Amino acid sequence: MAKRAANSVVKIDAGGVLYRELNARLRDVASNGVQRIELQNVYGQRYIGTDLGKPVEIEVFGTPGNGLGAFMDGPRIIVHGNAQDGSGNTMNEGEIIVHGHAGDITGLSARGGKIFVRDDAGYRAGIHMKEYQDKKPVLVIGGTAQDFLGEYMAGGILILLGLNLNAGEYHTANFIGTGMHGGVIYLRGSVEGYQLGKEVDVATLEDKDYQILQKFVGEFASHFGYDAVGILKHKFVKLFPRWLRPYGRLYAY
Amino acid sequence: MKTYLTSKFLVERDPERCIQCQVCVNQCTFDVHYYDTEDDEVRSREENCVGCHRCVAFCPTQALTFKKNPLDYRENYNWRPDVIEDILKQAETGGMLLTGMGNDKGYRIYWDHLVLNASQVTNPSIDPLREPMELTTYLGRKPDRVELDRESFNLKTELAPQVKLEVPVMFAAMSYGAVSLNVHESLARAATETGTLWNTGEGGLHSKLHQYGNNTIVQVASGRFGVHPEYLDVARVVEIKIGQGAKPGIGGHLPGEKVSAEVSMTRMIPQGTDALSPAPQHDIYSIEDLAQLVYALKEAINYTKPVAVKIAAVHNSAAIASGMVRAGADIIVLDGLRGATGAAPKVIRDNVGIPIEMALASVDSRLRQEGIRNQASIVISGGIRSSGDVAKAIALGADAVYIGTAALVALGCAVCQQCHTGKCAWGICTTDLALTKRVNPDIGARRLANLLRGWSLELKDILGGMGINALESLRGNRLHLRGVGLTDTELEILGVRMAGN
């Protein structure tokens, strides 16, 4: 099934292979010190990259299943196709680069690492991302996203670029940042007040925000062949939590 | 308008005995005792007294006691004092009422309506002092059938990961942040010494306790606090927490003031921010989604340890449990109506969920009917008070039990229900470093180990009296139970006969 290529790229044909078998194979290959793996014919196999624990690079051709890189710690996954739900669930370290769309709860509870989605993301992207000291997850979505973007966000950086919106089209997500109590969302284009959760406020960007955007939009652009300067010329808004403790006043005593 | 809340207790200080040493002043965390410098006398503000016994226990001359305050409202079965006072508190603040510990209302405690059997004449009882008795319990998925190699008699069937317990009693999930690190260390060391497991709760595992990993259950809950590869690696069991008996369907808010530097490090969130656990896990909206997380975790731990799923016992527990087993849970945990908490809205704690005895009996029956009981172990929690309760739970179908409150009582807790205040005078449910020192892990671990030793001896006595020498023979054996004072419907759900029948 796998051939050790001269440049140490291992190619695996995932066609018809069950996820458990495929992931066992990946564990095996990664523990042999292989740096790069190419997965061909991926048809919905789940949890790719989950238990590898080292910075191996995995190129996925096809459609990986739910939980891509769940609990992941180190690998870099490049998907040539669309990702499904729960990519980067509780991810600790590593990178997921999706040349296509990503499904719901992308980056759920991520505590580190980076996720770049070229096109759109589904519902509740970036939900409950959190950060601690130098561990700061980053989620960049090139297109637009569905409702509850950044819900319950407790840390990290979420960037929504809307590159596939035509002139006169807007982000349509509602309840953006509901329950947010940490981290920051940068949204390219404009957003109406009714689209925001009541725990978020809007601010104009400062220099340090642009520095953050330059870094991560720059990385995004280099992954997908966009012009970062052009993207950054457009207007951005910054969404931030109004309170660190949104629910501090619920209780009698 | 002035709200007057009746003092719960009257503090009595015997002036003959009191030596004005102020130990009570220093020990009380609720500002009851104070030293009046002008009069050179220790006095009390009894309206603050919560009845935790700390001062009484530490008074060197036994000068202190307290009594229930006789000041009452006009007798009324409906408008009881607690009902009136809750309304007053809410009229004052406009907030939800918070409380700690488990449901303190008078719902029927079925353990007290179940009695155990013993051997008389027709079969001999066994003396556990002189004959081997076995409490060993294995948690984890069991195969549908086993196959032996005909030559070597070795097992041919590949077994799912199993966890061996020397005692069928584990320490329930109590997170670091709710309880202190010294409590966690006491639990971890006692579990290791006794050959059982303790549970981190959802606040992560302090790196100092990684050495006890082999006796540790780590929790993955909706907040995913402190969940990272090392956390999953060091554990013996990974438990997905869906719900908790004290607050089914409710998320958790660890208030920012409890998120100290150390708690912040273990939970991996910034100091001083609220740790919010959403009500649902947002990757689980169905049984299929649960299966997805179960197997994500199994992949993350490479199928080397069991994955447990914990739910609060609610109306449809039996159907839900069936789904959980089919979703790949190796252990299912049911937490009943009387399960305790570090903080929960009082209205939820006191009104939501079903008694654990009913949940256990119905889940065990349902899984048997469906022929999948072997696929998961059942662990129950929520109000287990003694080895008698443990024996009855095992007979009703549990593989093992968790104890939370009972373990804390072993550490000094007087069940004063002030856990949510963070002021625990016994230093248990607090992150105040001045208070957490009150639990000494050397002593705490010993007391917890003592408790489990005592219960083990009692369990062996119970088994011996029944004429059986292994806990396995009692498991799910409801013929060893009889009901007292129960209705036909209650007996039917519990699957036990009426005493005398």
Side-chain angles (χ1 to χ4, degrees):
Chain A
M1 191 164 71
K3 312 185 278 255
R4 182 72 77 92
N7 60 359
S8 104
V9 178
V10 168
K11 293 189 181 184
I12 299 176
D13 182 355
V17 181
L18 292 173
Y19 75 81
R20 189 167 169 181
E21 215 176 300
L22 178 64
N23 292 331
R25 180 94 205 138
L26 286 175
R27 250 181 227 114
D28 196 34
V29 170
S31 64
N32 284 338
V34 169
Q35 299 292 313
R36 293 186 59 213
I37 303 168
E38 247 180 64
L39 295 182
Q40 305 284 355
N41 301 316
V42 175
Y43 291 109
Q45 284 93 343
R46 293 178 171 185
Y47 321 121
I48 291 172
T50 285
D51 185 35
L52 302 181
K54 45 176 66 113
V56 38
E57 185 171 297
I58 306 168
E59 286 210 65
V60 176
F61 294 90
T63 307
N66 292 353
L68 174 74
F71 302 97
M72 185 167 87
D73 194 27
R76 182 169 200 248
I77 302 178
I78 301 156
V79 181
H80 300 279
N82 299 318
Q84 299 190 56
D85 297 341
S87 300
N89 185 347
T90 323
M91 171 163 116
N92 195 50
E93 194 59 72
E95 215 171 335
I96 298 177
I97 299 156
V98 182
H99 291 259
H101 299 290
D104 298 341
I105 55 166
T106 297
L108 171 122
S109 280
R111 59 174 60 265
K114 296 176 201 168
I115 303 175
F116 297 95
V117 179
R118 191 190 65 196
D119 302 333
D120 299 333
Y123 290 87
R124 300 186 203 268
I127 180 173
H128 217 177
M129 292 205 307
K130 49 183 75 72
E131 67 185 57
Y132 180 65
Q133 295 177 348
D134 58 335
K135 282 234 162 290
K136 202 173 215 178
V138 178
L139 170 58
V140 186
I141 299 163
T144 189
Q146 299 282 5
D147 295 352
F148 292 102
L149 176 75
E151 188 191 13
Y152 258 121
M153 224 171 117
I157 300 166
L158 206 169
I159 302 171
L160 186 70
L161 296 175
L163 297 176
N164 56 2
L165 296 175
N166 295 319
E169 274 186 339
Y170 299 97
H171 296 291
T172 54
N174 287 318
F175 307 105
I176 296 170
T178 294
M180 186 173 175
H181 54 290
V184 60
I185 301 175
Y186 298 107
L187 199 142
R188 184 168 167 272
S190 56
V191 66
E192 298 293 328
Y194 71 83
Q195 291 178 277
L196 303 179
K198 54 184 185 296
E199 294 82 10
V200 241
D201 224 335
V202 185
T204 49
L205 279 68
E206 297 164 25
D207 280 353
K208 65 174 196 299
D209 297 312
Y210 279 111
Q211 282 166 18
I212 293 170
L213 281 178
Q214 262 160 14
K215 179 166 170 25
F216 296 116
V217 173
E219 286 184 32
F220 173 87
S222 73
H223 290 320
F224 303 116
Y226 283 106
D227 164 30
V229 179
I231 295 174
L232 287 168
K233 271 188 192 149
H234 206 276
K235 184 189 157 218
F236 277 81
V237 289
K238 173 184 176 179
L239 307 179
F240 66 97
R242 291 181 177 186
W243 309 285
L244 290 179
R245 308 192 47 190
Y247 305 116
R249 269 209 72 248
L250 282 180
Y251 305 110
Y253 292 98
Chain B
M1 186 194 153
K2 182 170 161 44
T3 294
Y4 178 74
L5 298 172
T6 319
S7 306
K8 290 280 161 297
F9 300 101
L10 297 181
V11 179
E12 289 183 1
R13 186 187 317 277
D14 185 342
E16 300 279 300
R17 292 186 173 187
C18 179
I19 53 170
Q20 314 295 327
C21 70
Q22 300 181 49
V23 163
C24 51
V25 179
N26 296 325
Q27 290 299 321
C28 183
T29 51
F30 294 91
D31 291 327
V32 174
H33 307 288
Y34 66 99
Y35 177 64
D36 188 326
T37 41
E38 256 174 48
D39 293 350
D40 183 25
E41 201 175 320
V42 177
R43 298 219 161 93
S44 14
R45 304 177 191 94
E46 48 206 9
E47 66 274 19
N48 293 339
C49 180
V50 298
C52 74
H53 287 206
R54 182 77 187 181
C55 60
V56 178
F58 278 74
C59 178
T61 58
Q62 294 167 330
L64 283 167
T65 186
F66 54 87
K67 289 186 176 151
K68 264 193 191 162
N69 187 354
L71 172 61
D72 213 339
Y73 296 84
R74 193 181 181 93
E75 198 100 328
N76 190 317
Y77 200 80
N78 196 32
W79 295 97
R80 299 182 307 268
D82 61 313
V83 175
I84 294 173
E85 289 182 356
D86 283 355
I87 291 176
L88 289 173
K89 287 177 191 169
Q90 293 192 292
E92 193 108 307
T93 61
M96 287 199 277
L97 296 166
L98 269 188
T99 188
M101 276 294 152
N103 192 322
D104 62 357
K105 298 291 176 285
Y107 296 101
R108 173 164 278 185
I109 297 169
Y110 286 94
W111 304 129
D112 297 341
H113 292 264
L114 291 169
V115 289
L116 292 158
N117 197 27
S119 301
Q120 297 293 295
V121 182
T122 54
N123 52 348
S125 49
I126 301 173
D127 185 346
L129 295 179
R130 277 171 289 280
E131 296 190 46
M133 302 294 281
E134 192 176 270
L135 299 182
T136 311
T137 298
Y138 288 91
L139 296 183
R141 178 168 295 247
K142 309 292 186 292
D144 292 340
R145 60 184 66 80
V146 287
E147 215 184 321
L148 293 179
D149 185 273
R150 284 180 183 279
E151 308 247 306
S152 66
F153 297 105
N154 286 333
L155 199 60
K156 268 170 83 178
T157 315
E158 206 178 307
L159 287 181
Q162 304 288 322
V163 178
K164 184 181 178 186
L165 305 179
E166 301 295 344
V167 197
V169 182
M170 306 185 287
F171 298 126
M174 292 177 274
S175 70
Y176 176 39
V179 297
S180 69
L181 184 58
N182 283 351
V183 172
H184 260 198
E185 189 182 339
S186 304
L187 295 166
R189 285 167 54 180
T192 304
E193 188 184 319
T194 317
T196 185
L197 302 173
W198 73 290
N199 188 316
T200 61
E202 80 154 313
L205 176 65
H206 196 282
S207 52
K208 184 181 171 188
L209 304 179
H210 283 188
Q211 56 180 307
Y212 307 108
N214 212 26
N215 293 79
T216 305
I217 299 175
V218 297
Q219 238 184 17
V220 174
S222 66
R224 304 280 159 88
F225 296 114
V227 179
H228 51 84
E230 199 187 359
Y231 176 75
L232 301 175
D233 279 349
V234 299
R236 190 73 191 84
V237 176
V238 177
E239 180 177 282
I240 298 172
K241 178 200 172 186
I242 304 292
Q244 174 178 350
K247 42 181 170 178
I250 298 286
H253 299 168
L254 185 72
E257 56 262 28
K258 276 195 170 183
V259 182
S260 62
E262 291 269 293
V263 170
S264 140
M265 191 175 79
T266 304
R267 293 207 174 210
M268 300 175 83
I269 53 167
Q271 199 173 337
T273 55
D274 279 10
L276 303 182
S277 296
Q281 305 225 7
H282 278 288
D283 46 356
I284 306 176
Y285 289 1
S286 66
I287 292 293
E288 292 74 16
D289 288 351
L290 175 64
Q292 184 175 302
L293 184 62
V294 167
Y295 282 94
L297 285 166
K298 287 189 176 183
E299 281 288 338
I301 54 181
N302 196 10
Y303 303 88
T304 52
K305 45 194 95 168
V307 172
V309 180
K310 174 182 178 180
I311 59 163
V314 290
H315 303 348
N316 290 325
S317 292
I320 297 163
S322 164
M324 287 156 63
V325 175
R326 292 166 200 281
D330 302 305
I331 301 166
I332 60 179
V333 182
L334 305 166
D335 192 16
L337 179 64
R338 289 185 299 274
T341 176
K346 192 172 181 221
V347 68
I348 304 291
R349 186 198 74 171
D350 290 352
N351 296 288
V352 183
I354 65 169
I356 191 61
E357 302 89 331
M358 294 306 191
L360 167 61
S362 60
V363 166
D364 179 67
S365 302
R366 176 70 173 258
L367 298 184
R368 282 169 192 276
Q369 281 160 18
E370 295 186 3
I372 56 172
R373 177 65 184 83
N374 62 304
Q375 292 182 20
S377 300
I378 299 178
V379 174
I380 64 146
S381 58
I384 299 288
R385 304 157 298 173
S386 66
S387 58
D389 291 352
V390 177
K392 291 169 190 177
I394 303 276
L396 266 188
D399 287 280
V401 306
Y402 271 132
I403 55 168
T405 303
L408 298 188
V409 169
L411 297 178
C413 170
V415 200
C416 72
Q417 306 188 31
Q418 302 303 308
C419 323
H420 60 294
T421 63
K423 292 187 193 169
C424 181
W426 291 89
I428 296 168
C429 199
T430 177
T431 53
D432 180 335
L433 293 177
L435 300 178
T436 58
K437 280 189 223 150
R438 294 181 176 189
V439 174
N440 175 333
D442 291 338
I443 299 170
R446 195 176 68 231
R447 291 176 65 93
L448 288 163
N450 282 348
L451 177 72
L452 293 188
R453 178 175 182 271
W455 285 19
S456 303
L457 292 171
E458 288 174 341
L459 281 171
K460 288 176 181 174
D461 247 359
I462 291 171
L463 288 179
M466 288 173 170
I468 50 186
N469 60 10
L471 196 67
E472 203 54 49
S473 309
L474 179 64
R475 193 157 280 128
N477 191 343
R478 299 189 197 178
L479 283 172
H480 277 299
L481 294 170
R482 286 292 187 273
V484 178
L486 297 175
T487 66
D488 285 353
T489 312
E490 288 169 318
L491 292 168
E492 188 192 324
I493 294 167
L494 290 168
V496 299
R497 294 184 188 170
M498 185 71 187
N501 200 342

